[in-house]
Amino acid sequence: MFHPIAWLLWLGAAVLPVMLSQNPLYVGIVCLAAGIVYMVIGRYSPLAQSWSGFLKLGLTIIALTVPFNALSVHAGRLVIFTLPRTWPLVGGPITGEAVIFGASKALSLFTLLLLFAVFNCAVDQARLLRWTPAFLFEAGLVTSIALTFVPQMLRSMQEIYEAQAIRGHRFRGIRDLLPLFVPLLTSGLERAMQLAESMETRGFGGSLQSLSPRREVLVRIAAAVALLGLVGGFFTVTYFREGQTLSWTLLVLSVTALTLVFRIQSQRVRRTRYRHGVWHRQDTVLAAISVGLAVIILLIRSWARVTLSYYPYPPFSPWPPFNPVLGVALTVLVAPAMLAFPQSQMTNDQIQVSND
Amino acid sequence: MIEFENVSYSYAGSEIPVLRNLSLTIPEGDFVLVIGASGAGKSTFLRCLNGLIPHFYGGTLGGQVRVMGCNPAHEGPRKMARHVGFVFQNPEDQFVVETVEDELAFALENYALPQATMRKRIEEVLDQLSIAHLRHRAVSTLSGGEQQRVAIAAVLTLQPQVLVLDEPTSQLDPQAAEEVLDALLKLNRDLGLTIVLSEHRLERVVQYADHVLYLSADGESPVFGEPTEVMIRVPLTPPLVTLGKALGWAPLPLTIKDARRFVRQLQVPDYKLPVEPATSLQQPATSDQQPVTIEAEDVWFSYNGHEALRGVNLVIRAGEFVAVMGRNGSGKTTLLKHLVGLLKPQQGRVVVANHDTRHVSLDEIIARVGYVPQNPNALLFADTVREELDFTRRNHRLPPVDYAPLLRTLSLEALADRYPRDLSVGERQRVALASILVADPEVILLDEPTRGLDYRQKEALTAFLRAQKREARTVVMTTHDVELVANCADRVIILSDGQVVVDGPVRQVMTDSQVFASQVNKLFRDARFLTVEDVLG
Amino acid sequence: MIMRKTLNAVVLAAASLVGVAAFLYPFFFPQPSETAQGMLSHSNDAPFLFIILMVFCLGMVLSNLSSGQMNSKIIAVLGILTAVNAVLRAVPGPAGFAAVFFLPILVGYSYGATFGFLLGALSILVSALLGAGVGPWLPFQMFATGWIGMASAWLPDMQRRPRLEVAVLTVWGFGWGFAFGAAMNLWFWPFVFDPTQTALYWQPGIGAIETLKRYAAFYVVTSLWWDLGRAVGNGLLLLLFGGPILRLLRRFRVRFQFEIQPV
């Protein structure tokens, strides 16, 4: 399969048009591409094989959104029928525009879910965790410990349930959870003590270092300032037409500062990694395609903003506009299905050995 | 080389020292066995070797410890990890990441070793512990023995010269324990690794040890020396050694092979060869006139595709003491769960105290049957032992009673107001027993009651179970512990692959079997001698 | 030490401010000054940008909270508690209720803000990885749950008065049930905006008061009843189990000798 980073880039490129545009034509193309990818990776991931659940979910979303939108929005020229105006909230004309817009919203939501479902199926969580950046090492380790502990906990839950049941404990009300929950939590905490010792005896204690006090002060100040800069930048970019250059400069500066902070914080973790996922030629292709698509979308957004927007109600046309360039560009999202790996390359995380 | 010079230690907030003026020298390449009752300071001693004491636990440490030329108290566990590998009791509690290979890499990554080195070391330990076939597996899917070998491999990657193990087999069944001990012997023999091991099952390891350290809980001074020399001075020993001491065999035999020599030399007054097996030995302890308490008829049961029970037939009469034995996965626990109605047969039927388990509620069965699960931790949740007993009485809708007699028989009277989770393994086990028996069941079911217990605790449990037998309670227990069976049971059922393969009186079954026989029985191969008491009269 | 604590608090405060802004941006939207067309296309970017902002912010907070304060004991305890909480979340309760705040509130209250935040945020992540699914809402949920754990540490210590303690925690959990729902709806509310004169949807440029009114209407219509269930569920859990679980956590704090600095 592809490298988790390549998948992440693909996900980003696919989510971008869905979130920037509600235009059902573009979103539809993304949805179709995601569906094809979902089917193809189903060959490798058993998770991806259940289509029926997904289709049900999609229908539910449409069944909820379309009537809700049609009944609550009464604008538009394509009147289908009219409900008495005296009815609260739902009274008024039921319009074609409202139905179309409801459907397009449902499509967006469904596509988003589908994209993340593809990502969840395609990327092994343990593999993804190995790519936790160094500055988040502790958080990643906590997550990894938790994931390792869950199967054991489920077993002990069963054990506790049986042990209490034969002591006459019955589940009659919420209060009866206590004899089940307390042994579970207690055993967990007892285990934590043992685990900490085990980590300590395998040299964990020293792999984390503190920064020098001076550096730490600087890093924290920088972090706080950069975060404030970031939020300021986002606000001004989003809400004011004037002074865009200034806002963008602020944003770029803040992001640079944050990256720097992350880098410095990474240095305090003195560890090496055993595994290096292999980056195949296919990963490069997928990454390039994804980044390319994102750039095209962002260029269109800044130069031909109108192309992306869609607004069915008067004074605009209820029919979505379509830019063929963007439409064709979006079809490249099927790349993961087309670039499928030959079987021999399917092994997870081969380890690169240097010849020494 | 490990040196202790006048080492004393007491935990933070405690006045009583756990170790007192301990001095000893362990030569390089030695296999050292650390023995003693729970609470005697075995774990404390082991944790001094890699600096977990005092770095992890605090407390006051006096005297000098030197391990491979370092002082662990100064260096701390991280620096010591390169000299001393440490493996804990419960393999499952030691894992940080999901797959075997990543687990092995954890220590190496902490030391920021280059990738090529890591790769080489991991391949080496995979072979040393014969776990190469497990490398891609998730640790949670492994058996106990496999997990413990992975835990050992995970510390060996740092190439320590000393390997310290804190009761590594106490949570394992005999087969898995054997696997782990074999691996340790191989490491000691082939690599010259110094091994320091604390262990309850002396009968299995004592013959391999170069030295034994005995720590006493009662403040006696510790004993360190050759195994035979230490065994003579230690109160609680395996049956074979106890017998040898009683009969004055010297040098003290530690294996059946060594002891056979003495048996051949025994004179007639000490030991009579049976002319023919006495017929009384063939009889079960209770006669057929007793009412039937438990009856299983052609019971079948399978868990997601795996057939755990395949046509089990069983009749247990009131007052019988039955031991169910068999290797792991033979269906022992599944059978026991059927007898209390936790599981219902998918085919066939189980009748307990005249109730067909398929047709009555669990409440009606547990009013007559008490079941003590393997792991007491699954049961205990209240703030005091007393509240734990209250909980059971309340659940059974029974009026409150005076707990004193029950607590006294289980020697828990001093602990009635303690937090159960603060108690030792043996004490917890007894609290679990008490919290089941407080409902006064006619039938007691026990699942592996001696797991993790030391000799003294086992002896207490044996005495208690014999008392239950005298009170004519029906007892059914699953166990791997042949000595416990020899001491308590009347009848043995051996399960294999979900079927009953042997069902008979304990003396006959043990004498017929190579595997399920007690040490004394193995020595004499005679149905009259199962326990030390049988021989000494 | 004091310097470090202060700075830690400053970073946390800044990150929280950014987080609040990312949640609440619809309320700060200025009056439109241009054509409907331009406004329309523009406003669509906001939800997307704020998700990115949220991810940055979360990274900053996680890295700051953990740097230099974590030892093996804290990491192990956090890992275990995180697993317990993630599994609690997967246990289905009546009316879609999941007991996900119960533990972060108690742990935040008894072990401190850092612990509470990390437990809240990471248990949401773990439950997502376990099957609840990774989605655009994830950073918002992580942040919101983390806050609940962190804020619980700011309650005064009432160990001496166990009844009062449980009562306060119950009310606290009840309140957070609603606050969490209200905050979580915000992330997608503008995203489903409808540019017509409806009473329930956000529109760019309607001003804070009007936004608040509309949001209140939207909230009452869509989410109030769910949140009522959540609030009652949390309150009830804290009322019934708060005492015993707190006793348990405090027992273990002694055993672990935590030396984590409060924020």
Side-chain angles (χ1 to χ4, degrees):
Chain A
M1 281 304 248
F2 294 97
H3 197 281
I5 302 294
W7 273 118
L8 214 55
L9 290 173
W10 176 83
L11 181 70
V15 167
L16 199 60
V18 181
M19 297 204 78
L20 290 185
S21 167
Q22 301 236 341
N23 186 323
L25 296 178
Y26 303 140
V27 176
I29 294 172
V30 176
C31 184
L32 214 61
I36 293 170
V37 175
Y38 189 72
M39 280 201 299
V40 169
I41 61 167
R43 270 187 289 178
Y44 312 124
S45 163
L47 267 178
Q49 277 162 358
S50 84
W51 257 113
S52 59
F54 232 99
L55 288 179
K56 264 185 223 151
L57 179 68
L59 288 176
T60 318
I61 293 175
I62 291 170
L64 284 175
T65 322
V66 174
F68 190 77
N69 205 60
L71 290 173
S72 63
V73 179
H74 304 287
R77 295 190 203 93
L78 307 171
V79 177
I80 303 172
F81 59 91
T82 306
L83 291 175
R85 291 195 180 270
T86 47
W87 294 11
L89 212 62
V90 297
I94 302 301
T95 65
E97 284 95 335
V99 172
I100 294 171
F101 202 53
S104 79
K105 269 196 252 176
L107 183 65
S108 297
L109 210 51
F110 177 71
T111 307
L112 263 187
L113 291 175
L114 186 60
L115 287 172
F116 277 96
V118 168
F119 182 74
N120 287 335
C121 294
V123 178
D124 173 32
Q125 25 148 302
R127 247 184 120 189
L128 190 64
L129 268 183
R130 276 182 221 133
W131 284 93
T132 313
F135 63 91
L136 289 178
F137 166 67
E138 291 96 337
L141 187 60
V142 168
T143 311
S144 155
I145 290 173
L147 288 171
T148 311
F149 179 53
V150 165
Q152 194 194 338
M153 187 168 57
L154 294 179
R155 269 202 304 280
S156 73
M157 241 157 106
Q158 176 68 22
E159 203 184 340
I160 290 166
Y161 173 77
E162 286 183 352
Q164 302 294 30
I166 42 193
R167 244 176 123 182
H169 170 266
R170 292 291 170 276
F171 191 80
R172 295 185 195 89
I174 189 167
R175 200 185 280 275
D176 294 318
L177 279 174
L178 199 65
L180 304 179
F181 186 60
V182 172
L184 187 74
L185 192 58
T186 317
S187 301
L189 288 170
E190 282 170 352
R191 180 185 195 259
M193 186 79 174
Q194 188 76 95
L195 186 65
E197 267 192 294
S198 158
M199 286 161 66
E200 207 64 26
T201 55
R202 285 188 281 161
F204 176 75
S207 58
L208 306 178
Q209 246 114 49
S210 301
L211 298 170
S212 68
R214 231 176 66 103
R215 263 195 142 178
E216 187 153 333
V217 169
L218 283 177
V219 159
R220 275 162 208 250
I221 291 173
V225 172
L227 277 176
L228 293 176
L230 202 61
V231 75
F234 270 135
F235 264 105
T236 44
V237 161
T238 319
Y239 302 133
F240 300 112
R241 303 256 56 188
E242 303 84 30
Q244 285 276 298
T245 342
L246 201 68
S247 312
W248 278 106
T249 320
L250 185 59
L251 268 184
V252 169
L253 276 179
S254 309
V255 169
T256 319
L258 275 181
T259 320
L260 217 64
V261 167
F262 286 149
R263 275 200 70 114
I264 293 173
Q265 283 186 329
S266 298
Q267 285 167 8
R268 95 200 137 68
V269 180
R270 310 235 166 109
R271 288 180 105 244
T272 46
R273 278 179 217 251
Y274 173 58
R275 296 196 189 244
H276 293 263
V278 177
W279 184 269
H280 294 290
R281 197 177 46 79
Q282 284 94 330
D283 293 311
T284 317
V285 177
L286 182 59
I289 287 175
S290 306
V291 173
L293 178 62
V295 169
I296 291 175
I297 293 169
L298 290 176
L299 285 179
I300 291 177
R301 185 201 153 276
S302 43
W303 284 327
R305 190 180 278 288
V306 183
T307 325
L308 279 174
S309 66
Y310 166 57
Y311 183 70
Y313 302 104
F316 305 101
S317 153
W319 311 116
F322 186 71
N323 178 342
V325 178
L326 184 55
V328 170
L330 286 174
T331 58
V332 301
L333 284 173
V334 297
M338 301 295 134
L339 291 168
F341 282 65
Q343 279 299 323
S344 61
Q345 286 183 309
M346 285 299 296
T347 45
N348 275 0
D349 291 312
Q350 288 139 342
I351 296 149
Q352 293 168 326
V353 194
S354 41
N355 299 319
D356 61 347
Chain B
M1 181 99 129
I2 298 168
E3 275 178 299
F4 273 59
E5 222 183 292
N6 274 326
V7 175
S8 304
Y9 175 76
S10 47
Y11 282 97
S14 161
E15 298 285 298
I16 311 145
V18 187
L19 299 178
R20 214 173 293 169
N21 297 328
L22 183 64
S23 298
L24 56 89
T25 305
I26 299 174
E28 229 171 299
D30 239 27
F31 192 116
V32 178
L33 183 62
V34 182
I35 61 173
S38 316
K42 296 195 297 292
S43 300
T44 312
F45 167 75
L46 297 179
R47 281 166 173 73
C48 288
L49 291 172
N50 75 337
L52 273 176
I53 284 178
H55 285 264
F56 195 82
Y57 286 93
T60 359
L61 180 71
Q64 263 290 354
V65 183
R66 297 206 72 79
V67 177
M68 310 311 293
C70 308
N71 182 344
H74 287 173
E75 307 282 347
R78 170 172 162 85
K79 290 233 173 93
M80 289 311 292
R82 302 203 105 160
H83 304 291
V84 181
F86 203 109
V87 177
F88 299 87
Q89 197 172 57
N90 198 346
E92 267 203 321
D93 291 355
Q94 309 176 32
F95 297 130
V96 180
V97 273
E98 261 185 311
T99 60
V100 171
E101 213 172 332
D102 290 321
E103 192 61 41
L104 299 189
F106 181 73
L108 299 169
E109 290 179 328
N110 285 335
Y111 278 95
L113 294 179
Q115 208 207 4
T117 315
M118 290 201 245
R119 167 100 170 146
K120 205 166 60 202
R121 297 240 186 126
I122 285 174
E123 293 307 320
E124 263 175 25
V125 295
L126 282 173
D127 286 338
Q128 277 166 2
L129 287 145
S130 335
I131 48 172
H133 59 293
L134 306 174
R135 66 190 305 164
H136 299 299
R137 295 266 297 275
V139 285
S140 59
T141 63
L142 304 180
S143 74
E146 289 169 338
Q147 282 181 336
Q148 199 57 289
R149 280 187 292 156
V150 170
I152 294 172
V155 300
L156 286 186
T157 51
L158 290 174
Q159 303 186 330
Q161 300 96 319
V162 181
L163 182 60
V164 179
L165 304 102
D166 189 3
E167 296 187 10
T169 67
S170 73
Q171 298 301 313
L172 307 179
D173 61 84
Q175 239 173 332
E178 201 88 35
E179 263 175 45
V180 172
L181 291 173
D182 285 346
L184 291 178
L185 286 173
K186 192 176 144 227
L187 290 171
N188 178 248
R189 222 176 30 230
D190 298 354
L191 304 179
L193 202 62
T194 309
I195 291 182
V196 184
L197 165 81
S198 73
E199 175 67 62
H200 285 318
R201 296 178 221 221
L202 299 189
E203 61 269 29
R204 197 166 283 121
V205 269
V206 73
Q207 64 264 37
Y208 303 115
D210 297 310
H211 287 101
V212 176
L213 169 64
Y214 170 71
L215 295 168
S216 156
D218 314 318
E220 296 165 40
S221 55
V223 186
F224 181 73
E226 304 274 324
T228 42
E229 164 191 331
V230 177
M231 284 294 141
I232 291 172
R233 299 172 57 186
V234 165
L236 290 162
T237 47
L240 183 69
V241 177
T242 313
L243 186 69
K245 283 200 286 189
L247 295 176
W249 292 343
L252 195 59
L254 299 178
T255 61
I256 303 281
K257 185 177 140 194
D258 293 344
R260 278 269 161 79
R261 209 155 45 87
F262 296 101
V263 173
R264 281 195 293 273
Q265 292 164 4
L266 276 180
Q267 296 305 306
V268 180
D270 304 324
Y271 164 73
K272 263 190 222 140
L273 276 172
V275 183
E276 55 185 307
T279 43
S280 67
L281 296 178
Q282 306 281 346
Q283 290 293 319
T286 50
S287 66
D288 293 347
Q289 272 77 57
Q290 290 290 332
V292 173
T293 318
I294 294 172
E295 192 176 4
E297 258 175 49
D298 191 32
V299 174
W300 290 73
F301 190 84
S302 59
Y303 297 100
N304 33 20
H306 165 72
E307 286 189 325
L309 294 180
R310 304 189 300 146
V312 171
N313 286 298
L314 199 63
V315 175
I316 295 173
R317 292 174 185 278
E320 271 193 290
F321 197 124
V322 181
V324 181
M325 305 185 78
R327 66 178 79 83
N328 253 22
S330 58
K332 297 190 300 292
T333 302
T334 313
L335 177 63
L336 213 59
K337 283 183 180 169
H338 272 87
L339 302 188
V340 71
L342 262 182
L343 297 176
K344 317 265 170 174
Q346 288 159 345
Q347 194 185 315
R349 65 188 193 123
V350 175
V351 181
V352 179
N354 299 322
H355 294 302
D356 187 326
T357 57
R358 285 170 307 173
H359 302 137
V360 295
S361 71
L362 194 54
D363 283 316
E364 278 177 78
I365 302 173
I366 58 169
R368 323 282 291 275
V369 181
Y371 174 106
V372 186
Q374 203 174 91
N375 180 4
N377 291 340
L379 221 61
L380 306 179
F381 75 101
D383 284 338
T384 66
V385 172
R386 203 182 292 281
E387 281 171 39
E388 208 68 68
L389 303 189
D390 286 338
F391 179 72
T392 310
R393 294 287 297 185
R394 254 201 329 275
N395 283 337
H396 283 81
R397 304 216 168 76
L398 293 170
V401 287
D402 181 19
Y403 299 138
L406 177 66
L407 292 178
R408 204 165 323 123
T409 31
L410 286 162
S411 24
L412 289 170
E413 66 269 43
L415 308 175
D417 294 309
R418 290 275 301 277
Y419 178 49
R421 294 284 187 151
D422 279 340
L423 305 177
S424 75
V425 187
E427 288 162 345
R428 285 188 199 191
Q429 180 75 42
R430 294 208 295 279
V431 175
L433 254 173
S435 65
I436 299 299
L437 295 181
V438 74
D440 204 19
E442 298 159 28
V443 181
I444 305 174
L445 308 177
L446 300 147
D447 195 2
E448 288 290 343
T450 55
R451 173 165 290 192
L453 302 191
D454 63 22
Y455 283 113
R456 184 178 305 185
Q457 292 164 337
K458 257 187 219 176
E459 212 162 67
L461 183 74
T462 307
F464 174 78
L465 290 177
R466 282 178 161 178
Q468 300 304 308
K469 195 159 99 176
R470 280 195 298 277
E471 285 172 28
R473 283 212 170 99
T474 313
V475 181
V476 183
M477 67 175 180
T478 70
T479 186
H480 289 292
D481 190 333
V482 284
E483 305 301 336
L484 178 73
V485 175
N487 270 304
C488 310
D490 310 318
R491 179 175 156 196
V492 177
I493 291 170
I494 298 177
L495 285 183
S496 175
D497 219 2
Q499 288 176 320
V500 176
V501 289
V502 175
D503 181 355
V506 62
R507 290 177 184 276
Q508 190 187 356
V509 173
M510 284 215 170
T511 316
D512 286 348
S513 163
Q514 299 281 347
V515 182
F516 298 102
S518 64
Q519 271 196 317
V520 173
N521 188 261
K522 273 184 187 153
L523 185 60
F524 290 97
R525 304 297 339 159
D526 181 332
R528 289 176 308 165
F529 303 123
L530 295 187
T531 62
V532 177
E533 282 170 34
D534 289 343
V535 181
L536 301 178
Chain C
M1 209 36 140
I2 292 168
M3 181 72 173
R4 186 168 160 177
K5 271 189 205 172
T6 326
L7 274 173
N8 231 345
V10 169
V11 173
L12 259 184
S16 294
L17 192 69
V18 179
V20 172
F23 270 111
L24 297 184
Y25 67 89
F27 293 104
F28 309 130
F29 234 96
Q31 292 293 331
S33 56
E34 41 187 316
T35 63
Q37 181 88 38
M39 196 62 237
L40 185 66
S41 57
H42 206 157
S43 60
N44 267 346
D45 303 351
F48 189 63
L49 287 179
F50 279 101
I51 286 178
I52 294 175
L53 182 61
M54 208 58 166
V55 171
F56 259 109
C57 204
L58 203 57
M60 199 69 235
V61 176
L62 288 180
S63 117
N64 251 288
L65 283 182
S66 46
S67 76
Q69 306 187 38
M70 305 283 267
N71 60 31
S72 57
K73 289 177 191 172
I74 292 171
I75 288 185
V77 174
L78 254 177
I80 300 296
L81 289 175
T82 300
V84 172
N85 204 39
V87 169
L88 271 188
R89 190 183 182 213
V91 176
F97 163 72
V100 72
F101 308 133
F102 170 66
L103 213 51
I105 287 179
L106 291 177
V107 168
Y109 174 65
S110 55
Y111 289 177
T114 307
F115 228 101
F117 188 93
L118 290 175
L119 173 61
L122 293 178
S123 56
I124 296 289
L125 177 68
V126 168
S127 105
L129 290 175
L130 279 178
V134 177
W137 53 84
L138 186 64
F140 289 87
Q141 278 183 337
M142 285 172 70
F143 223 101
T145 318
W147 270 335
I148 296 177
M150 182 167 77
S152 303
W154 299 334
L155 291 170
D157 187 21
M158 298 163 285
Q159 199 174 347
R160 299 265 173 77
R161 307 182 59 189
R163 275 163 189 277
L164 176 75
E165 186 173 52
V166 169
V168 169
L169 286 172
T170 303
V171 174
W172 180 255
F174 186 79
W176 272 112
F178 287 110
F180 180 81
M184 281 313 298
N185 287 345
L186 274 173
W187 87 263
F188 73 86
W189 185 52
F191 186 59
V192 295
F193 87 100
D194 211 315
T196 50
Q197 305 77 352
T198 167
L200 301 180
Y201 290 114
W202 174 73
Q203 276 182 286
I206 52 176
I209 305 292
E210 182 59 23
T211 310
L212 199 61
K213 270 193 210 154
R214 289 192 186 190
Y215 184 65
F218 176 78
Y219 180 72
V220 169
V221 170
T222 54
S223 167
L224 183 68
W225 301 107
W226 286 93
D227 291 350
L228 185 67
R230 176 173 19 229
V232 169
N234 275 306
L236 204 61
L237 282 182
L238 285 164
L239 181 67
L240 292 175
F241 306 149
I245 302 292
L246 269 183
R247 276 205 299 282
L248 179 64
L249 290 172
R250 284 185 176 132
R251 256 187 229 284
F252 273 87
R253 186 173 53 182
V254 177
R255 248 188 237 189
F256 283 107
Q257 302 167 301
F258 286 125
E259 285 159 19
I260 195 157
Q261 309 122 16
V263 174

